Amino acid sequence: RKEVEQDPGPFNVPEGATVAFNCTYSNSASQSFFWYRQDCRKEPKLLMSVYSSGNEDGRFTAQLNRASQYISLLIRDSKLSDSATYLCVVNSGNQFYFGTGTSLTVIP
Amino acid sequence: DGGITQSPKYLFRKEGQNVTLSCEQNLNHDAMYWYRQDPGQGLRLIYYSQIVNDFQKGDIAEGYSVSREKKESFPLTVTSAQKNPTAFYLCASSIDRSRGRGYTFGSGTRLTVV
């Protein structure tokens, strides 16, 4: 079983839509969680950390469900510029584990 | 401005040739990492280093070698023993591997075997 699993998509949504991605992790002792954004042929960039109580940054909301071992990312009012691949990252002990990424395309 | 610099951006390697990818950071980060990204497979850890003169194998270290002689530098050599080296290589650093504060990535090197 993979450490981190994501639905690869693709998700194609119209501008203004709300879209949510989930990511499950296998190690219940995982300590830190992140969402990264990766544009085509570019390096991943940190979008936001995921805190136990959930956290919001503008149109983006991240949540952690330790009981079910998943993290989620909600994007409200999607913009064309949100089109990218979103990677979830889980830190367990001394190791970071990356999901394969979920592809999002926002359509005009 | 602080950051991570990878070079070259594009690299072409002939069969049987060793090549070295450069990674330099001025963030004063202790930990540095090398990942390989293939389509549909996400990032896979090649090597990591938590401190100067120390490094550990990741999940796919075979055919690769690294050194960490300076805190700022963590070059990766792709040897001829790596049978399928064509990929996007990403270097990253973090303040401390155990604190889970997330990575800063370099802009990557695309390696192609010709």
Side-chain angles (χ1 to χ4, degrees):
Chain A
R1 183 183 173 186
K2 289 184 180 178
E3 293 283 343
V4 178
E5 299 209 49
Q6 277 185 265
D7 180 347
F11 284 70
N12 300 314
V13 303
E15 262 186 298
T18 295
V19 61
F21 310 133
N22 281 344
C23 174
T24 59
Y25 60 95
S26 60
N27 186 347
S28 59
S30 298
Q31 301 151 319
S32 307
F33 309 87
F34 309 89
W35 283 101
Y36 277 74
R37 170 192 169 127
Q38 186 173 24
D39 292 292
C40 188
R41 303 179 73 81
K42 300 282 189 181
E43 75 276 19
K45 293 187 178 178
L46 181 65
L47 179 65
M48 56 198 304
S49 300
V50 186
Y51 301 122
S52 297
S53 56
N55 48 298
E56 192 173 299
D57 183 2
R59 298 181 293 108
F60 298 83
T61 300
Q63 291 191 313
L64 167 64
N65 185 319
R66 284 195 181 273
S68 300
Q69 293 182 210
Y70 74 84
I71 62 173
S72 64
L73 177 68
L74 182 79
I75 306 175
R76 290 182 300 278
D77 189 24
S78 299
K79 310 290 185 192
L80 297 177
S81 57
D82 293 334
S83 298
T85 297
Y86 292 83
L87 304 168
C88 66
V89 183
V90 175
N91 173 245
S92 300
N94 289 329
Q95 201 50 291
F96 286 89
Y97 297 95
F98 287 78
T100 55
T102 299
S103 173
L104 171 67
T105 301
V106 181
I107 304 164
Chain B
D1 288 340
I4 300 181
T5 302
Q6 285 187 245
S7 62
K9 194 173 180 68
Y10 299 97
L11 184 59
F12 297 90
R13 190 194 93 167
K14 293 181 180 179
E15 294 280 353
Q17 191 178 46
N18 291 358
V19 291
T20 297
L21 283 59
S22 171
C23 178
E24 304 276 333
Q25 55 100 357
N26 60 2
L27 299 164
N28 200 34
H29 284 175
D30 290 314
M32 297 186 74
Y33 316 80
W34 274 105
Y35 285 88
R36 168 181 173 142
Q37 188 175 36
D38 295 281
Q41 293 198 46
L43 277 70
R44 292 184 289 167
L45 181 64
I46 304 172
Y47 267 98
Y48 66 94
S49 168
Q50 293 182 256
I51 197 169
V52 173
N53 292 323
D54 182 64
F55 47 83
Q56 306 295 328
K57 292 182 179 180
D59 301 319
I60 55 164
E62 186 175 349
Y64 299 98
S65 65
V66 293
S67 62
R68 187 87 185 275
E69 297 176 3
K70 299 186 298 182
K71 187 175 184 177
E72 301 80 15
S73 179
F74 191 41
L76 173 74
T77 296
V78 184
T79 74
S80 56
Q82 172 47 241
K83 297 306 177 189
N84 185 24
T86 296
F88 186 41
Y89 290 87
L90 286 159
C91 179
S93 71
S94 66
I95 294 174
D96 182 309
R97 185 175 175 80
S98 64
R99 292 183 188 176
R101 292 189 185 180
Y103 287 169
T104 300
F105 283 92
S107 57
T109 294
R110 289 198 179 275
L111 173 63
T112 304
V113 173
V114 296

